[in-house]
Amino acid sequence: MYHYLKKHAFAVITSCLLLLVNSVLQVLAATKMAVLANYLIAGKIRPFVSMLVVIFLLWFLTFLISFLESYIQETVIQDILSNIRNDIVTSLIKLSQNEFK
């Protein structure tokens, strides 16, 4: 398995980094919710609306990164499975009929 992961190391690392960035953005959006609540309690409407827009943008960015991460993961999974199948078929083709039985 390590052999196949090594072939697609860049995509796997990219996917992991996107997962990390996505998690950081989600935590950031959650912490901004506390600030949003403070603005609402204080009755500061203008900062409340601007913070609400920032939170929506963070969640939208999280959605985009999540989509890209899923796309990369599925592409890598398909490539690795194709490589495994090709290796199995190649080794089976090399066998003679007597060895195959």
Side-chain angles (χ1 to χ4, degrees):
M1 190 64 177
Y2 178 73
H3 168 72
Y4 300 108
L5 286 175
K6 193 175 170 182
K7 277 185 178 179
H8 303 283
F10 178 74
V12 171
I13 291 171
T14 302
S15 181
C16 290
L17 288 176
L18 286 174
L19 177 64
L20 179 68
V21 168
N22 201 12
S23 297
V24 168
L25 287 176
Q26 287 177 353
V27 169
L28 182 61
T31 57
K32 293 295 181 189
M33 293 290 270
V35 176
L36 183 74
N38 288 337
Y39 285 145
L40 184 61
I41 292 169
K44 299 177 181 177
I45 300 301
R46 185 178 237 53
F48 173 79
V49 172
S50 65
M51 186 58 67
L52 191 62
V53 169
V54 167
I55 291 171
F56 282 142
L57 289 174
L58 284 172
W59 282 112
F60 183 71
L61 188 60
T62 299
F63 168 75
L64 291 177
I65 290 173
S66 178
F67 178 78
L68 180 63
E69 174 194 345
S70 296
Y71 177 79
I72 291 172
Q73 285 176 353
E74 292 302 319
T75 303
V76 169
I77 288 169
Q78 288 177 2
D79 289 345
I80 289 174
L81 289 176
S82 292
N83 290 340
I84 291 172
R85 286 186 197 112
N86 287 336
D87 289 346
I88 290 171
V89 168
T90 302
S91 65
L92 286 175
I93 289 174
K94 290 179 181 177
L95 293 175
S96 67
Q97 247 184 346
N98 292 334
E99 293 174 323
F100 188 67
K101 294 178 181 179

